[in-house]
Amino acid sequence: MSSETLYEHPLTEQVRVYLRLEFLLDQINQSSTLTDDGQWRVFFRSLFDLVEILEQVQVKGDLAKDLEKQRAKLETWLDVPNVDTEQLKALLFESRQIQQALLRASRLGQKLREDKFLSSIRQRFSIPGGTCSFDLPSLHHWLNLPLAHKQSNAEQWKQTLAPLEDALSFWLRLTRGSAGLQSCAVVNGFYQQDVEGANLLRIQVSTEYNAFPLVSGHKSRFAIRFMPFDESQPVPDMMALSLAVC
């Protein structure tokens, strides 16, 4: 039985940032138990990568505006016949609560930047092999503290990101749910389409084709070129895929 791989590709720069933040938050959550050797590397590296993005991009304002736009679209459905208005009102209420919590939050990543321990080890994580015990004795000390102490620290650091994670998860959940996967035919490994105001592509394709998509485009037009993973096995003349334009 063949399996299928789901790819996602952003069609705006803001969504590109959102997907990167989501990826890093997932890495932080998965590694924050610190029960396996090496999890601490994933945890701290992901945490510092996320802080760097927050330093470079004004995510808070952009995300608040995108929640507002999303809520405006939802409100247009209130007068549509046969719509589940109770569920719609619940989503609108949740959106307002999440947006208000985001706007009330202090500058995203600020508490992590001000943490003395984190700031003392952050720069070394950008140096190859820079986290050796002789480079970072303070980190080596922390790693040998009781597990409960380390997990408590990790949870406190994670909680400073809760307003961001809640808002980002909500926006991406509704964006992904705004369009279902539709069957499409790909000829000679190429597919293109004109769209209007799109944010995200979701591409599902069988692994049997042994090919992966390269996407170019923006919110009004995109093109997908499938490339062979193994050059000895060319891309089929005809391929079927499932595509959602969100």
Side-chain angles (χ1 to χ4, degrees):
M1 180 180 295
S2 66
S3 61
E4 293 186 316
T5 302
L6 179 65
Y7 301 88
E8 291 190 328
H9 188 86
L11 293 176
T12 70
E13 189 57 36
Q14 283 176 220
V15 178
R16 185 182 303 275
V17 172
Y18 293 168
L19 292 179
R20 285 176 175 161
L21 289 173
E22 180 189 46
F23 169 78
L24 291 172
L25 287 166
D26 285 345
Q27 292 288 301
I28 290 168
N29 289 330
Q30 292 171 17
S31 59
S32 62
T33 60
L34 302 170
T35 52
D36 296 331
D37 291 341
Q39 277 191 320
W40 62 270
R41 291 186 181 88
V42 177
F43 178 81
F44 284 119
R45 188 174 298 279
S46 299
L47 195 69
F48 295 146
D49 284 351
L50 187 143
V51 169
E52 186 169 347
I53 292 176
L54 295 178
E55 288 176 343
Q56 297 174 355
V57 184
Q58 298 299 317
V59 174
K60 182 177 178 179
D62 289 341
L63 188 51
K65 291 177 183 177
D66 284 338
L67 286 169
E68 187 72 36
K69 293 176 183 177
Q70 195 176 62
R71 191 160 60 249
K73 291 180 180 178
L74 287 174
E75 288 174 346
T76 63
W77 285 87
L78 286 172
D79 298 325
V80 177
N82 302 320
V83 167
D84 188 340
T85 56
E86 291 303 315
Q87 183 178 3
L88 195 54
K89 288 178 181 178
L91 287 173
L92 289 169
F93 177 78
E94 185 180 1
S95 176
R96 291 189 188 93
Q97 294 295 103
I98 288 174
Q99 184 189 41
Q100 289 171 7
L102 177 66
L103 292 173
R104 286 196 303 266
S106 58
R107 186 180 177 185
L108 298 178
Q110 186 64 31
K111 292 182 179 179
L112 297 176
R113 287 188 290 270
E114 294 175 348
D115 186 283
K116 291 184 178 180
F117 173 66
L118 293 179
S119 61
S120 71
I121 68 174
R122 179 181 172 186
Q123 293 302 320
R124 282 289 175 178
F125 273 78
S126 63
I127 301 173
T131 57
C132 293
S133 61
F134 59 83
D135 280 314
L136 285 177
S138 61
L139 174 61
H140 191 62
H141 170 78
W142 185 86
L143 291 173
N144 284 277
L145 292 175
L147 178 60
H149 181 100
K150 292 184 290 185
Q151 289 176 333
S152 176
N153 287 161
E155 187 61 31
Q156 291 173 10
W157 294 326
K158 282 172 52 182
Q159 281 303 309
T160 67
L161 300 170
L164 168 65
E165 184 170 14
D166 291 344
L168 187 62
S169 296
F170 183 84
W171 189 88
L172 286 171
R173 173 163 59 91
L174 290 193
T175 297
R176 289 174 173 132
S178 66
L181 291 167
Q182 303 292 327
S183 298
C184 299
V186 178
V187 181
N188 295 325
F190 184 76
Y191 180 86
Q192 64 180 356
Q193 184 178 330
D194 292 330
V195 292
E196 184 177 348
N199 289 302
L200 176 70
L201 291 183
R202 309 188 80 212
I203 306 162
Q204 187 169 280
V205 62
S206 172
T207 56
E208 285 188 346
Y209 295 126
N210 201 26
F212 58 90
L214 295 181
V215 181
S216 60
H218 45 79
K219 59 184 179 181
S220 60
R221 183 179 178 84
F222 66 87
I224 306 172
R225 170 71 68 180
F226 281 88
M227 305 299 293
F229 183 75
D230 184 350
E231 293 184 0
S232 65
Q233 182 181 343
V235 175
D237 294 338
M238 295 294 297
M239 294 174 57
L241 62 82
S242 296
L243 177 68
V245 182
C246 307

